[in-house]
Amino acid sequence: MNPETAERESRESLRRLGGGGTGDRLHFRLVIGILLRCLRLLVPVRGHVVRLVVGFAAVAVCLAPIAFLLFDLFWTRVLQGAPLTAVEAALLRFDPALTVHVAELAPDLRRAVALRTVGLGVGAGLVTMPLFLALWYYQVWILQRVNQTLRLDLVDRLQSLSLRFHADSKVGDAIYRLYQDSAMVTQLIEVLILTPLAAAARYLFSIALVFCFDPWLAVMLAAVWPPALLLGGFFSRRMRVRFRAAREANSDLTSSIQETLAGIKVLKAYGAEATAQARFEERSRAAFARAFEARSLLAIFGMEIFWTAGIAMLASTAFAALETHAGDPLFARRLLAAFGFTAWNLGLFNGIKMNFAGGADQVRRMFTTWGRVQDIAIGLDRVFELLDLEPDVRDAPGALPLETVRHGVVFRDVSFRYREDRLALDHVSLEAKVGTITAIVGPTGSGKSTLMALLLRLFDPEAGSIEIDGSDVRKLTLASLRARVAIALQENLLFGTTVRENIRYAVPDASDAAVREAARIACANEFIERLPQGHDTLLGERGTKLSTGQRQRLSIARAVLKDTPILVLDEPTASLDAETEMRVLENLAAWGRERAILLITHRLSTIRRADRIVSMADGRVVESGTHDELMARVDGAYRRLVEAETASTRAGAIS
């Protein structure tokens, strides 16, 4: 993705958040809107956050005066031999008569002060280091908890979105948003709370302190802000555009990896490894280039802010050096006299230099953090884009649970379309009664599988209704509806776990006896027993260790184990040999006597076992009836289908 495309998407995200128009101001509003949403993520852990901030603040408040005293002790008292202040003498346990009321410290006392100063510093470090480590660990725990909650919400939303959304989206993009974009939330406390509060407190402390020494130093420290704000305004939008481009490029790279590995069998079969490698290298270079551009701009921004703060630090150092050389009195000498400070000296010069540098560095730190916020905001905006999507299919207000099915399923004048220009189903009506097998036949693309998707409410029809025992499925809760319908899909998707866990995927607490019975009905028990560990055999990614027919039987066993009053079988025996097909259908017929079974198939041997046959073409029901009734129609669509399959079978046998 180029920067222009990224910028358009940024504008689109802005409009979604309620903004409008163009320019930096609106992009700034985008970031503020995202950051406010981020703060809401911290609401469930607000008690922990408050305790964390108070902990860091308490440690900082305790350390600040100790650090200043250590600087003065080392630079002024130890190196220059100046007498100790009363506070320092009391802290280090020295006799004031020998260390305070003297013109200069004796050499042996200076060595003693140095040793005790080092001891004081080491002691302070030993006390505060465990506190800092504990607070850091506490911060990590809080952020990981927030991240876990966000990821759970993301997965829940991805699962609730309709198939229409997933058909238009890339799996790799969802994975990247789930793992990479959402990880930005782990920096929330640092960039939204700890860094701004700590930097602001340290800056205000520094500017107040240097003001006490000389107001011109405070003016120099305040002068860092105007150019820093100008730089922030200039770079912010440009960084967001490039970070958006970088994330989209890396998302595209993740999608490429996912597609390559998912289709590895086809890739190898066609000898397309070189093509796939070239495609990956191209996308990898593009992702690297976009990331490099974004990080380079962030680095340039950081350097500009650094030089802004650096110039102020150089000017303040020169000013303080002149004041120290002249031994000028301090501006707030009456206030500082309580600590023994009335005029500039080497210790104060180094202390002030450190504090001025600390204040200027806090400005640099805040703006550097602001640069990071641009990336964090873009990453979390991509997460919120998913969380803001509403499922097309959801429970209606007052939806009722489906307790049981006594009569069957009725499709009444159902119409549906995937695209605006073409109906997938056109006023379809049919009935599947409990205790019967209803076969739905027709050429590819006639709408058979779409009917089953509507029954499960993977989509909702645009006209007509689907009723179970007289109740429109849209008035039933989704959970109860799908709990009463089992389906064996044409795509026999298995998971990289054991045979047992694959069969009881929809019923995790099913007993081993129930698993074995479901496998028996699906005629899967025979090959399962021949596997190295039987039901405990690991199947590998997508069940690739099994043949297509074996995977199909496990898919049927999974549907049988769910033990629902409605069973949908989409081409259930397409990959089975004739003998196994016959045994599976006999078992299903016996098992499904009190159930409504809908059977989608092309195979004549399977169709013959149905109690009622519905023939479809171009999204319409063209005829329905029993096998004999439909075969009696000379020009009927079903009869033509049977005759075509019979002729094909004979031709295959002759060849």
Side-chain angles (χ1 to χ4, degrees):
M1 175 182 292
N2 57 39
E4 290 76 14
T5 304
E7 183 168 1
R8 284 197 300 272
E9 293 202 7
S10 294
R11 295 174 188 273
E12 185 61 33
S13 298
L14 211 171
R15 285 192 289 272
R16 181 177 54 77
L17 289 172
T22 59
D24 286 340
R25 178 187 173 200
L26 293 179
H27 283 287
F28 177 76
R29 191 182 301 168
L30 164 68
V31 175
I32 297 303
I34 294 169
L35 296 182
L36 289 175
R37 293 190 65 174
C38 291
L39 285 174
R40 288 199 290 270
L41 293 174
L42 299 176
V43 171
V45 292
R46 57 186 179 276
H48 294 290
V49 174
V50 170
R51 285 190 285 272
L52 179 69
V53 172
V54 170
F56 273 118
V59 174
V61 167
C62 293
L63 280 180
I66 295 176
F68 199 85
L69 280 173
L70 290 174
F71 260 88
D72 182 66
L73 284 167
F74 180 76
W75 288 99
T76 305
R77 317 306 167 181
V78 174
L79 293 183
Q80 293 184 285
L84 300 183
T85 66
V87 173
E88 293 170 342
L91 183 65
L92 297 180
R93 297 177 180 270
F94 280 109
D95 184 355
L98 299 177
T99 57
V100 178
H101 306 300
V102 294
E104 185 178 358
L105 291 177
D108 56 334
L109 281 176
R110 291 166 68 176
R111 285 192 292 270
V113 170
L115 289 174
R116 295 189 187 186
T117 300
V118 171
L120 177 63
V122 171
L126 291 176
V127 171
T128 57
M129 183 61 69
L131 294 176
F132 273 117
L133 290 176
L135 289 169
W136 176 81
Y137 183 85
Y138 191 28
Q139 176 183 333
V140 171
W141 180 85
I142 295 171
L143 292 173
Q144 289 303 323
R145 182 172 171 180
V146 173
N147 192 23
Q148 173 73 357
T149 301
L150 182 60
R151 284 179 175 171
L152 291 176
D153 290 343
L154 264 177
V155 171
D156 181 65
R157 182 49 53 92
L158 283 169
Q159 291 182 137
S160 69
L161 293 173
S162 70
L163 292 184
R164 196 187 301 274
F165 165 81
H166 290 288
D168 295 333
S169 305
K170 292 182 178 181
V171 174
D173 180 66
I175 293 172
Y176 191 86
R177 292 178 194 242
L178 184 64
Y179 272 94
Q180 293 296 326
D181 290 334
S182 69
M184 294 293 99
V185 79
T186 60
Q187 302 180 47
L188 279 184
I189 291 181
E190 180 184 352
V191 302
L192 294 185
I193 299 176
L194 293 182
T195 296
L197 288 180
R202 177 66 191 280
Y203 175 79
L204 292 174
F205 172 79
S206 296
I207 201 168
L209 183 65
V210 299
F211 180 85
C212 292
F213 282 75
D214 196 299
W216 282 109
L217 290 173
V219 172
M220 293 180 191
L221 187 53
V224 176
W225 277 94
L229 287 171
L230 290 174
L231 288 170
F234 178 80
F235 280 95
S236 292
R237 184 186 64 83
R238 291 166 175 79
M239 285 191 289
R240 283 193 291 277
V241 169
R242 294 198 184 183
F243 280 127
R244 165 71 73 169
R247 289 191 173 275
E248 295 292 346
N250 277 281
S251 172
D252 188 50
L253 178 63
T254 303
S255 296
S256 175
I257 296 170
Q258 185 272 330
E259 291 170 358
T260 299
L261 295 179
I264 192 68
K265 185 181 293 186
V266 174
L267 186 146
K268 286 182 172 295
Y270 282 90
E273 291 92 342
T275 302
Q277 180 69 19
R279 186 184 304 115
F280 172 78
E281 290 178 2
E282 178 184 356
R283 292 180 178 177
S284 182
R285 283 194 295 269
F288 174 81
R290 300 291 85 76
F292 182 78
E293 290 169 0
R295 294 296 167 182
S296 296
L297 190 61
L298 179 62
I300 292 171
F301 174 66
M303 286 192 297
E304 297 287 347
I305 295 295
F306 173 81
W307 278 110
T308 300
I311 291 171
M313 290 166 60
L314 288 173
S316 68
T317 301
F319 182 85
L322 293 174
E323 297 251 309
T324 302
H325 179 72
D328 291 342
L330 303 178
F331 176 71
R333 51 188 174 278
R334 293 182 180 178
L335 176 65
L336 298 175
F339 300 94
F341 306 137
T342 57
W344 284 91
N345 58 46
L346 183 59
L348 293 181
F349 167 77
N350 283 285
I352 288 301
K353 185 174 69 171
M354 178 196 73
N355 277 278
F356 188 99
D361 188 62
Q362 297 314 306
V363 178
R364 182 201 61 78
R365 184 182 175 195
M366 282 189 277
F367 278 91
T368 301
T369 301
W370 176 250
R372 290 172 54 202
V373 164
Q374 312 312 305
D375 186 25
I376 294 170
I378 292 301
L380 290 176
D381 182 50
R382 284 168 44 82
V383 173
F384 294 142
E385 285 172 1
L386 280 184
L387 291 177
D388 287 345
L389 294 175
E390 293 295 337
D392 295 335
V393 178
R394 68 181 80 180
D395 286 340
L400 300 173
L402 176 62
E403 300 295 345
T404 186
V405 180
R406 293 187 176 87
H407 304 294
V409 181
V410 178
F411 290 78
R412 296 189 187 279
D413 207 27
V414 172
S415 295
F416 176 77
R417 70 182 77 216
Y418 293 102
R419 304 194 311 265
E420 290 295 328
D421 59 341
R422 182 178 181 274
L423 277 170
L425 295 176
D426 188 5
H427 300 286
V428 171
S429 296
L430 62 92
E431 182 177 7
K433 296 180 179 179
V434 168
T436 65
I437 298 176
T438 303
I440 303 174
V441 301
T444 300
S446 59
K448 305 183 297 298
S449 296
T450 300
L451 279 175
M452 300 306 102
L454 294 178
L455 172 60
L456 285 163
R457 286 200 72 198
L458 302 180
F459 306 98
D460 277 336
E462 65 179 46
S465 64
I466 304 168
E467 300 173 5
I468 298 178
D469 287 355
S471 298
D472 192 319
V473 295
R474 288 170 292 196
K475 297 180 180 179
L476 302 172
T477 61
L478 277 170
S480 66
L481 170 64
R482 292 172 183 173
R484 300 292 181 271
V485 180
I487 184 168
L489 295 168
Q490 185 174 0
E491 181 184 0
N492 305 303
L493 178 62
L494 299 179
F495 301 93
T497 182
T498 63
V499 172
R500 178 182 288 103
E501 295 306 316
N502 268 284
I503 294 176
R504 63 183 184 190
Y505 178 74
V507 191
D509 57 349
S511 65
D512 289 346
V515 171
R516 287 192 292 270
E517 176 61 15
R520 184 195 65 78
I521 293 172
C523 296
N525 54 336
E526 299 169 0
F527 80 81
I528 291 174
E529 292 172 358
R530 293 195 299 269
L531 294 174
Q533 284 84 40
H535 283 81
D536 295 316
T537 302
L538 290 171
L539 297 184
E541 184 74 14
R542 301 172 68 88
T544 52
K545 293 183 179 180
L546 300 179
S547 68
T548 304
Q550 290 171 334
R551 292 199 299 272
Q552 193 159 51
R553 279 178 278 174
L554 287 186
S555 181
I556 295 172
R558 178 193 294 163
V560 168
L561 181 64
K562 196 175 178 184
D563 194 22
T564 58
I566 301 173
L567 176 64
V568 177
L569 301 171
D570 191 351
E571 297 286 0
T573 59
S575 300
L576 303 183
D577 59 80
E579 180 183 352
T580 304
E581 176 191 10
M582 181 181 68
R583 290 191 290 119
V584 169
L585 292 175
E586 287 175 352
N587 291 345
L588 287 174
W591 173 81
R593 287 194 182 98
E594 302 301 323
R595 296 172 172 83
I597 299 180
L598 292 103
L599 183 63
I600 300 173
T601 184
H602 289 91
R603 297 183 69 162
L604 181 58
S605 55
T606 304
I607 299 170
R608 288 178 183 275
R609 296 181 176 274
D611 299 290
R612 187 169 186 80
I613 300 168
V614 177
S615 180
M616 296 186 65
D618 297 325
R620 300 184 182 90
V621 173
V622 293
E623 56 187 5
S624 63
T626 65
H627 173 76
D628 293 336
E629 290 171 349
L630 297 180
M631 287 300 293
R633 300 181 184 180
V634 178
D635 294 325
Y638 176 74
R639 179 169 175 167
R640 291 196 301 271
L641 178 67
V642 171
E643 290 173 348
E645 181 169 334
T646 302
S648 176
T649 303
R650 288 175 179 171
I654 293 173
S655 62

